[in-house]
Amino acid sequence: MTLSFTSLGLSEARVSHLQSMGYDEPTAIQAEAIPHLLSGRDLIGQAQTGTGKTAAFALPLMEQVDSSNPSVQALVLTPTRELAIQVCQAMRGFRINGRPNVLAIYGGQSIERQQDQLKRGAQIVVGTPGRVLDLLNRGSLSLHNLGWLVLDEADEMLNMGFIQDVEKILSKAPANRQTAFFSATMAPEIRELSAKFLHSPVTVTVQSPKASPKQIQQVSYIVPRGWTKVRALQPILELEDPESAIIFVRTRRTAGDLTRQLQAAGYSVDEYHGDLSQSQRERLLMRFRQQQVKLVVATDIAARGLHVDDLTHVINFDMPDAMESYVHRIGRTGRAGKHGIAISLVTPLEKYKLRQIERHTKQPMTLVKIPTRAEIAARNLERLRSQMREAITSERLASFLPIVSQLSEEYDLRTIAAAALQMAYDQTVPAWQRNEHHNAEAEGSERGASLPKKRKTISVQSESREVSKAKE
Ligand code: AMP
């Protein structure tokens, strides 16, 4: 029998709230950590992003803080602003009736505003070490009533040189608090820190997100001899049409080149690299989350700072050298029961790597050829068909029925439906691909050959004029 959230000791109200969010069962780290944290033990959690570690520390805190007391009772330290915001948002999502109050504090945002927010009261504060220390020194943040302290991504704190700040904060917190450290790896410095600040902690370890490879479909495309990878990638992107994807490359330089070439071809793509300022990173992250940018090109190192794990696709433009990197990369998709696709571009010389991957992940790897234009067109039509099915059952349909009634006085219903479909197709499919389904067979052998630039979507008005003209 699988464990339930109730059996971990969480309240019924929280469990049903979690269920409404689609959290039916605890993940491994949650199942192991939550009972210890609820019982008051200090804890070291060795777990990476994607394992559900945020809920593992957040839920016990949220169950225990006193929402009627406005003072800060729990502090979560994160290495980056993005993570502070992300953890804060996740915690707000776990709340019932908007309580307790969770506040994110980080550098770069007006300190006065954060001072005001603290004055108004917050039971839980999520912050970056520098800003937390600053607010402590100014007397705007008080840790007198602090009962819980969590260090998230402790190894990143170390990498980013924040450990001294963290030590200062830890030594300012009351001694009788409960403390938890979460870290993907356990460097000696982290062990030293935990020996100094944690009281007989229990250690909980979960494996890297190899967890659910079943939900990750692994597909490899063989790049034909004489082709560049960029040329091979474009028809794949057309076929897959990812909602959100990271394209992994080996070097920073390839990242820049590939981004420019894809942008020139009309794709919504950006590069993520270490030299971006905090505000540039945040803006990119925001656009990526809101799907204004669908593709992000990054190296493994840069992608570490990119806290996005809910991807529809992961694309290995360059294959990683280490198997761990491969597993880590593809683990960013197929999350929380969703289906994810991991695509690898391999040259004929790299084919041998695929067997290694199969052996390591114990999952089959599908080997496919670069899609032809006809295959892409067929996929687009298939997509349109399923969108139609969805639209037919939607409630908004009713508001369009009067237009259909009016038009049906002039045209027959099949013609009207086909015209509407044509408009929808033209909205989503670039101009150069249109009408492919008419002569799909004829062009079938042309594997993604020299794809012209994608065109911007044509407005509905001009299209509808064309449609009505055609009827006259
Ligand atoms: P984390 O490792 O905390 O960044 O979480 C990774 C992702 O898994 C997030 O999108 C969470 O919303 C999701 N998640 C965490 N725990 C569960 C759960 N028990 N059931 C379903 N989704 C979860």
Side-chain angles (χ1 to χ4, degrees):
M1 205 187 79
T2 47
L3 274 172
S4 69
F5 276 112
T6 315
S7 68
L8 304 182
L10 295 175
S11 66
E12 279 304 327
R14 187 84 53 194
V15 174
S16 61
H17 178 60
L18 289 173
Q19 256 162 6
S20 73
M21 296 172 66
Y23 283 41
D24 297 324
E25 283 172 19
T27 64
I29 186 81
Q30 291 160 4
E32 297 209 35
I34 291 174
H36 289 302
L37 290 174
L38 283 174
S39 75
R41 288 284 300 264
D42 279 3
L43 181 134
I44 299 175
Q46 194 170 350
Q48 292 178 338
T49 300
T51 51
K53 68 180 166 66
T54 315
F57 64 73
L59 295 171
L61 289 185
M62 312 204 53
E63 291 273 283
Q64 296 182 84
V65 294
D66 176 3
S67 294
S68 62
N69 175 350
S71 63
V72 176
Q73 297 157 53
L75 176 66
V76 180
L77 293 174
T78 66
T80 62
R81 263 199 247 196
E82 291 97 338
L83 189 60
I85 295 169
Q86 193 185 320
V87 168
C88 176
Q89 280 169 349
M91 287 179 119
R92 286 183 179 159
F94 298 139
R95 294 187 300 186
I96 300 167
N97 299 329
R99 302 173 87 173
N101 217 351
V102 189
L103 182 64
I105 56 174
Y106 44 84
Q109 201 192 40
S110 142
I111 196 154
E112 288 80 17
R113 191 170 151 215
Q114 292 172 356
Q115 285 171 315
D116 278 351
Q117 288 171 319
L118 282 167
K119 248 189 228 151
R120 273 182 261 136
Q123 287 82 26
I124 302 177
V125 166
V126 186
T128 49
R131 184 52 66 99
V132 167
L133 208 53
D134 197 352
L135 286 160
L136 277 172
N137 292 337
R138 288 172 191 236
S140 313
L141 173 64
S142 157
L143 300 183
H144 286 118
N145 288 323
L146 198 81
W148 296 272
L149 201 151
V150 177
L151 201 59
D152 194 11
E153 301 203 348
D155 45 357
E156 285 297 311
M157 302 257 194
L158 188 70
N159 293 342
M160 296 172 85
F162 293 153
I163 283 298
Q164 278 167 348
D165 283 353
V166 169
E167 281 211 39
K168 279 187 202 148
I169 298 167
L170 282 164
S171 47
K172 279 177 195 266
N176 61 347
R177 56 156 205 275
Q178 186 183 352
T179 313
F181 282 9
F182 282 81
S183 191
T185 55
M186 278 296 152
E189 292 91 333
I190 308 280
R191 288 194 194 285
E192 274 168 37
L193 199 70
S194 55
K196 199 164 156 192
F197 290 99
L198 272 62
H199 301 294
S200 39
V202 50
T203 300
V204 166
T205 306
V206 298
Q207 292 307 312
S208 56
K210 210 174 179 177
S212 57
K214 277 187 261 61
Q215 277 139 8
I216 305 173
Q217 189 191 350
Q218 302 184 81
V219 183
S220 281
Y221 287 92
I222 305 293
V223 181
R225 272 177 222 284
W227 278 44
T228 61
K229 283 191 175 175
V230 185
R231 181 176 166 195
L233 180 62
Q234 293 194 39
I236 297 170
L237 291 176
E238 294 301 339
L239 184 81
E240 291 289 340
D241 193 21
E243 267 173 40
S244 58
I246 298 185
I247 304 178
F248 284 97
V249 294
R250 194 185 308 278
T251 64
R252 166 85 195 275
R253 190 183 171 151
T254 312
D257 290 347
L258 178 61
T259 307
R260 272 189 297 281
Q261 293 183 64
L262 290 178
Q263 279 172 343
Y267 288 91
S268 131
V269 52
D270 252 325
E271 181 192 355
Y272 190 92
H273 57 76
D275 293 350
L276 294 181
S277 71
Q278 274 283 10
S279 63
Q280 285 171 319
R281 277 190 215 190
E282 270 168 35
R283 236 176 294 136
L284 171 57
L285 208 59
M286 183 87 78
R287 291 206 307 272
F288 195 32
R289 291 220 174 97
Q290 294 172 347
Q291 290 182 6
Q292 289 164 354
V293 169
K294 294 188 169 189
L295 311 169
V296 168
V297 183
T299 59
D300 285 297
I301 292 176
R304 270 191 224 155
L306 190 62
H307 296 287
V308 179
D309 301 301
D310 216 3
L311 303 166
T312 59
H313 292 71
V314 163
I315 299 173
N316 297 304
F317 184 83
D318 289 322
M319 293 300 276
D321 292 324
M323 217 35 77
E324 287 69 31
S325 310
Y326 178 84
V327 173
H328 199 242
R329 284 180 182 185
I330 72 166
R332 286 179 178 248
T333 184
R335 282 285 158 74
K338 287 186 209 147
H339 178 73
I341 300 180
I343 289 172
S344 300
L345 287 184
V346 286
T347 59
L349 286 175
E350 286 174 322
K351 258 190 183 172
Y352 74 96
K353 288 193 177 176
L354 304 180
R355 298 284 86 77
Q356 284 179 352
I357 292 174
E358 275 188 333
R359 247 177 280 139
H360 189 83
T361 60
K362 300 196 175 58
Q363 293 292 319
M365 167 74 75
T366 317
L367 212 65
V368 279
K369 287 188 176 153
I370 306 294
T372 62
R373 289 184 179 203
E375 283 160 354
I376 297 168
R379 173 70 72 92
N380 285 335
L381 283 180
E382 188 44 53
R383 215 171 267 142
L384 189 63
R385 203 168 295 144
S386 65
Q387 284 167 350
M388 270 298 277
R389 291 211 168 90
E390 251 174 58
I392 286 171
T393 53
S394 91
E395 286 173 14
R396 284 182 54 228
L397 193 71
S399 56
F400 297 97
L401 287 174
I403 305 181
V404 178
S405 303
Q406 270 173 10
L407 288 172
S408 66
E409 289 168 15
E410 288 175 73
Y411 309 101
D412 87 308
L413 288 173
R414 284 161 57 101
T415 310
I416 298 168
L421 272 173
Q422 185 200 316
M423 283 163 61
Y425 185 82
D426 289 354
Q427 285 281 304
T428 51
V429 176
W432 61 268
Q433 277 182 24
R434 293 185 205 151
N435 299 324
E436 292 286 329
H437 57 279
H438 293 317
N439 48 7
E441 294 306 327
E443 299 194 25
S445 60
E446 228 178 302
R447 294 209 172 269
S450 62
L451 300 176
K453 200 167 159 159
K454 282 172 75 170
R455 226 173 63 185
K456 282 230 156 35
T457 318
I458 297 160
S459 81
V460 182
Q461 278 99 357
S462 65
E463 286 295 286
S464 58
R465 266 202 303 280
E466 274 170 35
V467 169
S468 52
K469 228 195 258 155
K471 300 283 173 292
E472 279 160 13

